[in-house]
Amino acid sequence: MTPEDAARRAAELREQLHHHAHRYYVLDDPEIPDAEYDRLFRELQALEDAHPALRTPDSPTQRVLGRVLEGLAPVRHAVPMLSIQTETDTTAEGARAFDARVRRELELPDDAPPVAYAAELKFDGLAVNLRYEHGVLVQAATRGDGETGEDVTQNIRTIGQIPLRLRGAAPPLLEVRGEVYMRRDAFERLNARQRERGEKTYVNPRNTAAGAVRQLDPAVTASRPLSFYAYGLGDAQGLPAFARHSELVGWLQGLGLPVNERRRVCSGADELVAFHRAVEAERDALPFDIDGVVYKVDRLDGQRQLGFKSREPRWAVAHKFPAQEQATRLNGIDIQVGRTGKLTPVAKLEPVFVGGTTVSNATLHNRFELRRKGVRVGDTVIVRRAGDVIPEVVGRMPGAPGGRPAYVPNFVMPRECPVCGSPVRREKGSLEHRCTGGLFCAAQRKQALLHFAGRRAMDIEGLGDKLVDQLVDGGLVRTLPELYTLGLAKLSALERMADKSAANLVAALERSKHTTLARFLYALGIRHVGESTAKDLARHFGTLDALMDAPREQLLEVNDVGPIVADSVRQFFAQPHHREIVERLRAVGITWPEASAAEQGPKLLAGLTLVLTGTLPTLGRDQAQALIEAAGGKVSGSVSKKTHYVVAGAEAGSKLAKAQELGVPVIDEAGLRALLEPAGG
Ligand code: IVH
């Protein structure tokens, strides 16, 4: 690269980085994923390293980014809020390099014992400083540029997790630092609501949390469910003498501040590597996003000795994980047809490594969202994959700062179902397009079969999507009852089907014939009848015949059943071919214990609420729940004064304590079995 080329490229990168930093820090509305920003940043850094003359004072590499917004009052931090060095090598080497650096800078000889580190999660949210005077929250501020942040006290006060007053003996002055974030389930619910209303969806939990904290109207903040974890200190007076960071975190917890349990003290590089690896494996199962882990030298005297390098502590590092958002090309859009006929546009992507796996498909939800996001086939888009949520296209990446002329979509929803050719309709007031083919549509049939076989429905082990594709595409199964006529011969003849798997499936089908009415109802896939509604219906009516013939008024008497569900149940059983399917399923031998009308009344646990906790000696959780429900009882997830019994097994935890506190009777498995025995029998 000639010096002229390098200068041109550096100027271009500076301009782009300034633009994206403004979008990110000031507007809370980034256009590109962090990983993309980091790439540009690193490219500029490399250019500046190679040609130091290009390192202008206004280069984004030369200062801490961010600016105070108009509207929120500036707050000067008593102790600057520093950032932390990032280790972008996501392999074990990242941890080893940090440990080696610390040992070198502490001038430890090679044979000195391992250094102790406090290892924590790196929460992906917005850093805040909470100032408590004599235990009372008096001010909350964002990080801003590290020297000056914004006063967000009113907003922070709306976050239930943040104590307005500390518990116990609080010091005269305590500034707590931590991260405000949004849980993934809260984020998904918020977006589901936005989608239902046809409004713009949020890009990711981090930006949503940051936007909510920096609202001018605290009522808006209050409507966004936010959470908080404390991980450090700012200014403070009159603290107890701590020797270690890990002690400090425990002390903060004692004051009533939320701290994360997934933290530990690691001894040396090997344990850091193990922590990084273990947390990465758990990442998808966590209820919130993290973008890595943080290691801090645990001993505070060690921290003091290491000190700071420009604006970053030498005693801490953020060890990243692979990014959960990436840019890639949208190659095309396919249509997927769901169990209820709903048409979902699915993005066909240039395969990209995101959130730990290679993604080539992502949901686009519906046509309207595509339009709102301004996405066209051929665009570079941003894909997010976090947790067990299916990958999603969250927006389009602009080619260059500025945007483009009016959006003209180059995709339309088909008028005919791409699978069965039936007309596609959009119901009044709904954003969803549906295939009208019902069970004539192979796609709907496949989904119906998968749902029927599901673990919480008929629980037919081994009937997965590949097999269902083969069965439906090969014309072997057209309706649910035909599943039970398959037999060994037909199954073994299928491609890639070993004799043993065929025999297992036949056995699983046989086992599934003994079920419960609730499972059977749920398995039928009646619209709006989920698992819990199916249980309510089964409990109320006791027999399938009573339910199938129930008039609307009777359905409305059922717990939690409103007009939409009642009408849906009526409509389902009003269709002769649904009745026929039910009769044929009974004919192949599917049975469940039916309560006769006479038995309906004296159910042993009718009206009782039980809570299960710990591990019972012989009964699994689902089994115990099924027994209780079959006897007319209800199983609840939490203990309250309304709980009648807590059934406790080994390692029962807080629920047992709660029961004892409230004086709720506690029984063991034998006690439960005794309750289930009819008197005298
Ligand atoms: S300690 C001086 N611990 O990551 C060290 N930071 O740049 C201060 N973060 O601004 C940071 N989880 O917003 C620390 N367990 C954790 C963290 C954490 C998330 C954020 C914080 C900080 C950024 C690092």
Side-chain angles (χ1 to χ4, degrees):
M1 192 181 260
T2 67
E4 294 75 50
D5 284 344
R8 202 170 311 120
R9 180 64 185 151
E12 199 174 286
L13 286 167
R14 273 198 302 271
E15 194 198 320
Q16 288 184 10
L17 286 163
H18 278 311
H19 169 79
H20 291 305
H22 175 77
R23 302 279 318 189
Y24 182 100
Y25 285 99
V26 183
L27 305 181
D28 274 333
D29 187 16
E31 293 173 326
I32 58 174
D34 294 5
E36 190 65 26
Y37 183 92
D38 292 344
R39 258 197 293 279
L40 297 172
F41 195 91
R42 282 199 299 274
E43 188 185 341
L44 180 57
Q45 262 179 337
L47 273 177
E48 290 175 345
D49 287 346
H51 310 270
L54 296 177
R55 194 172 280 138
T56 59
D58 74 341
S59 168
T61 62
Q62 298 303 299
R63 66 181 164 103
V64 187
L65 299 171
R67 181 162 77 75
V68 178
L69 274 186
E70 294 164 12
L72 295 172
V75 173
R76 189 144 181 98
H77 296 301
V79 174
M81 287 182 82
L82 302 181
S83 69
I84 190 172
Q85 200 183 336
T86 311
E87 177 57 72
T88 45
D89 181 344
T90 59
T91 71
E93 278 320 301
R96 297 197 191 282
F98 172 63
D99 179 57
R101 205 157 59 229
V102 166
R103 293 182 71 89
R104 196 170 55 238
E105 281 163 2
L106 287 175
E107 294 174 7
L108 295 177
D110 286 352
D111 58 355
V115 175
Y117 297 101
E120 301 173 350
L121 304 182
K122 185 172 187 311
F123 313 106
D124 203 6
L126 179 78
V128 294
N129 183 70
L130 309 176
R131 188 178 170 92
Y132 289 89
E133 290 176 5
H134 301 286
V136 176
L137 178 68
V138 294
Q139 189 180 60
T142 62
R143 175 161 171 258
D145 65 4
E147 299 289 339
T148 307
E150 299 150 325
D151 188 330
V152 288
T153 314
Q154 289 305 313
N155 296 340
I156 290 296
R157 289 172 69 91
T158 68
I159 303 176
Q161 280 202 325
I162 295 183
L164 298 180
R165 177 186 282 278
L166 298 175
R167 299 201 316 205
L173 173 64
L174 180 69
E175 286 188 358
V176 178
R177 290 188 174 162
E179 200 88 350
V180 173
Y181 66 95
M182 183 177 277
R183 290 169 52 101
R184 280 201 286 258
D185 56 356
F187 173 75
E188 296 300 331
R189 271 201 302 277
L190 190 65
N191 265 353
R193 207 169 65 202
Q194 292 293 102
R195 233 168 249 131
E196 253 163 46
R197 295 178 182 167
E199 282 168 26
K200 195 170 173 230
T201 49
Y202 298 93
V203 171
N204 60 36
R206 200 251 331 265
N207 295 331
T208 315
V213 168
R214 298 169 71 240
Q215 280 293 325
L216 293 174
D217 177 3
V220 177
T221 314
S223 71
R224 311 265 165 83
L226 297 173
S227 307
F228 176 77
Y229 278 129
Y231 51 65
L233 290 188
D235 201 7
Q237 280 165 19
L239 291 191
F242 302 113
R244 294 173 176 274
H245 175 82
S246 50
E247 278 173 47
L248 161 74
V249 175
W251 179 72
L252 290 175
Q253 182 167 34
L255 292 174
L257 288 153
V259 301
N260 183 262
E261 288 302 328
R262 191 66 178 93
R263 63 176 194 279
R264 57 163 302 191
V265 177
C266 291
S267 173
D270 286 346
E271 290 192 17
L272 290 181
V273 170
F275 183 80
H276 187 262
R277 216 170 264 153
V279 170
E280 190 174 353
E282 288 163 33
R283 185 186 193 186
D284 281 357
L286 291 173
F288 47 83
D289 283 1
I290 56 173
D291 55 346
V293 290
V294 179
Y295 313 135
K296 303 171 184 175
V297 170
D298 197 30
R299 285 177 57 153
L300 300 180
D301 56 0
Q303 291 190 3
R304 272 189 291 274
Q305 198 183 330
L306 285 159
F308 299 86
K309 178 186 162 194
S310 60
R311 310 196 38 87
E312 290 166 354
R314 283 203 189 83
W315 45 264
V317 78
H319 193 188
K320 297 276 241 180
F321 292 146
Q324 286 175 321
E325 287 179 16
Q326 284 291 359
T328 191
R329 186 174 183 277
L330 177 62
N331 287 335
I333 296 175
D334 269 7
I335 297 293
Q336 206 171 58
V337 184
R339 174 166 64 84
T340 58
K342 186 185 159 195
L343 269 51
T344 305
V346 177
K348 296 281 142 186
L349 303 165
E350 195 57 38
V352 64
F353 190 73
V354 54
T357 50
T358 300
V359 168
S360 45
N361 296 314
T363 179
L364 288 161
H365 294 289
N366 58 48
R367 174 171 68 93
F368 300 90
E369 208 161 288
L370 208 67
R371 176 184 289 269
R372 269 196 308 277
K373 288 174 179 160
V375 171
R376 283 165 52 102
V377 173
D379 281 348
T380 300
V381 295
I382 298 161
V383 183
R384 172 178 151 88
R385 196 202 82 94
D388 47 14
V389 180
I390 40 177
E392 190 183 6
V393 169
V394 295
R396 137 181 191 273
M397 200 168 81
R404 65 173 155 195
Y407 171 67
V408 185
N410 58 2
F411 162 81
V412 286
M413 275 304 219
R415 287 154 182 268
E416 281 161 10
C417 172
V419 177
C420 72
S422 301
V424 165
R425 293 247 162 73
R426 180 153 73 92
E427 282 163 35
K428 234 174 144 174
S430 162
L431 299 177
E432 294 171 354
H433 288 73
R434 264 173 215 287
C435 159
T436 53
L439 289 178
F440 297 107
C441 174
Q444 292 188 54
R445 239 166 25 225
K446 287 178 184 175
Q447 295 299 324
L449 284 168
L450 284 170
H451 174 80
F452 184 80
R455 199 172 65 80
R456 307 208 145 256
M458 300 301 280
D459 194 15
I460 307 171
E461 222 184 302
L463 192 62
D465 48 5
K466 298 242 162 54
L467 184 54
V468 164
D469 280 352
Q470 277 183 295
L471 293 175
V472 172
D473 295 341
L476 273 92
V477 174
R478 270 155 312 181
T479 63
L480 297 174
E482 282 175 11
L483 267 181
Y484 290 91
T485 62
L486 278 171
L488 259 185
K490 276 192 213 165
L491 281 171
S492 312
L494 288 174
E495 231 179 287
R496 286 191 304 271
M497 173 68 92
D499 286 353
K500 189 154 176 294
S501 335
N504 286 346
L505 184 63
V506 170
L509 281 163
E510 265 323 294
R511 269 199 309 278
S512 75
K513 288 181 180 173
H514 301 279
T515 187
T516 64
L517 176 54
R519 277 177 176 268
F520 182 77
L521 283 175
Y522 174 60
L524 289 176
I526 305 167
R527 248 181 114 182
H528 305 297
V529 177
E531 213 186 335
S532 105
T533 305
K535 281 182 185 171
D536 286 336
L537 289 169
R539 199 178 301 135
H540 188 93
F541 289 99
T543 71
L544 182 60
D545 292 312
L547 169 67
M548 288 200 296
D549 296 329
R552 196 169 184 272
E553 306 78 69
Q554 263 183 35
L555 286 164
L556 287 170
E557 284 168 17
V558 180
N559 206 4
D560 288 338
V561 169
I564 293 180
V565 180
D567 288 342
S568 175
V569 173
R570 292 281 301 146
Q571 275 164 25
F572 185 90
F573 290 116
Q575 294 191 33
H577 75 273
H578 286 154
R579 292 263 182 166
E580 194 189 319
I581 284 174
V582 167
E583 288 322 319
R584 282 172 51 207
L585 284 169
R586 282 168 151 177
V588 298
I590 293 178
T591 57
W592 52 84
E594 285 219 326
S596 69
E599 282 164 355
Q600 273 293 82
K603 285 223 162 177
L604 289 162
L605 301 185
L608 297 186
T609 301
L610 288 82
V611 171
L612 297 167
T613 179
T615 312
L616 299 179
T618 69
L619 288 173
R621 214 199 145 69
D622 287 352
Q623 281 176 305
Q625 174 158 357
L627 284 175
I628 292 167
E629 286 173 352
K634 218 177 137 104
V635 174
S636 160
S638 60
V639 181
S640 74
K641 275 187 280 190
K642 291 188 187 147
T643 308
H644 293 92
Y645 292 99
V646 168
V647 185
E651 274 154 50
S654 61
K655 289 177 191 168
L656 178 57
K658 185 86 194 247
Q660 283 156 348
E661 184 188 319
L662 295 175
V664 172
V666 177
I667 57 175
D668 59 5
E669 181 178 316
L672 172 64
R673 290 192 187 274
L675 279 183
L676 293 165
E677 296 282 319

